[in-house]
Amino acid sequence: PDAIMVQELANRMAERVSDVVKSLMQMGMMVTQNQTIDQDTAELIVEEFGHKIVRVSDADVEDVIDQVVDSPEDLKPRAPIITVMGHVDHGKTSLLDAIRNARVVSGEAGGITQHIGAYQVEQNGDLLTFLDTPGHAAFTSMRSRGAQVTDIVILVVAADDAVMPQTIEAIAHAKAANVPMIVAINKIDRPAADPQKVRTDLLQHEVIVEQMSGEVQDVEVSATTGQGLDQLLEAIALQSEILELKANPNRAASGAVIEAQLDVGRGPVATVLVQNGTLKLGDIFVVGEQWGKVRALISDSGERIKTAGPSTPVEVLGLNGTPEAGDVLNVVETEAQAREIAEYRAQAAKDKRAALGAATTLEQLMANA
Ligand code: GDP
Ligand code: MG
């Protein structure tokens, strides 16, 4: 019996994972994006979404969804993908920097740390992938574009400030996305630090941390002194183990764009988080409304690499245009196919914008009246 992860099925169909989860729920199946469903169920879902699948030509659609199914024995453990969220000034950026500086995998100490929007660190031989763009906007805009690229949310709460409005927002985002949280009680070095207040505040928002006999791990940290960073990484590794995150490295790659820009010297460059399969030099791909052929892959430490497997963030060169954060990348077989799908999507988006444009104008007229 073959199985496929819900996230992967959504990627292959270019549908939002939340819509797929919703459909599954309506069929009576309570699953999350990281769980697998069997082939029969996957086929039902594909049928259900059939009228919405990107229609270039039937043959192309076949090719895009052709490889839907990964056998369970093909799935291998992959690194968790971690997003840091929390109230402004509670130390998200400081924490990401502290972890990166203390634990970068291949960037040499003292070397220039490359910023590509995500980085990997090693924890007892296991890799952890951090998204380097803290903040709710990134999280929600990626989600709204159909990419769910977070397995674990680190909720940063300053011990001298406790729960604030954006803390509550972050909790809501994590819950809506069905992503487990780990609470990092930061600034524990401050004289005014009151970690217990953070824990009791969180209770009011139905986040019951371990110290309050709940199941959400909480770790006291200081991004400034480095205190607790090891424990935080251990907590992440433990949470990751519980999630049993898996992907199939031996297939055509799919992934999500974390950030993209037009580089004067290098042309369009996208940082892609590979979610399934392995992206290789020379691969032909479609990404949102763009397409390309991988000319170079650059790792988070600035090295040129030949392949990037599941949960690896990588800069991709060789695009014909600049995609948007949240766009999904799929490797396809031929350039003609890639171009056709990209053009089809561009046209569809244009049609949609035209339709939306009319509606917006009407709304604006009403609002301004
Ligand atoms: P962000 O808005 O959540 O990204 O917060 P920042 O990382 O920019 O931190 C806000 C301020 O808090 C900065 O001045 C940091 O130096 C300071 N800060 C962050 N973490 C700590 C900490 O663990 N201890 C202390 N004492 N200050 C911290
Ligand atoms: Mg910041």
Side-chain angles (χ1 to χ4, degrees), residues 22-34:
K22 210 179 291 166
S23 278
L24 284 161
M25 271 185 187
Q26 280 159 3
M27 290 165 58
M29 293 195 55
M30 308 306 257
V31 292
T32 65
Q33 53 149 346
N34 287 315

Side-chain angles (χ1 to χ4, degrees), residues 132-185:
D132 211 355
T133 28
H136 313 179
F139 189 80
T140 44
S141 77
M142 299 268 282
R143 280 217 325 132
S144 74
R145 296 186 61 75
Q148 179 139 338
V149 290
T150 300
D151 300 308
I152 298 169
V153 164
I154 304 295
L155 181 69
V156 178
V157 190
D160 61 351
D161 203 23
V163 171
M164 296 299 279
Q166 287 166 281
T167 319
I168 298 166
E169 258 178 53
I171 294 168
H173 288 320
K175 285 191 173 170
N178 224 334
V179 176
M181 273 180 289
I182 296 173
V183 178
I185 305 177

Side-chain angles (χ1 to χ4, degrees), residues 355-367:
L356 279 176
T360 310
T361 314
L362 186 59
E363 252 170 51
Q364 279 166 348
L365 280 175
M366 309 273 284

Side-chain angles (χ1 to χ4, degrees), residues 88-89 91-94 134:
V88 64
D89 281 345
K92 298 178 294 294
T93 304
S94 305

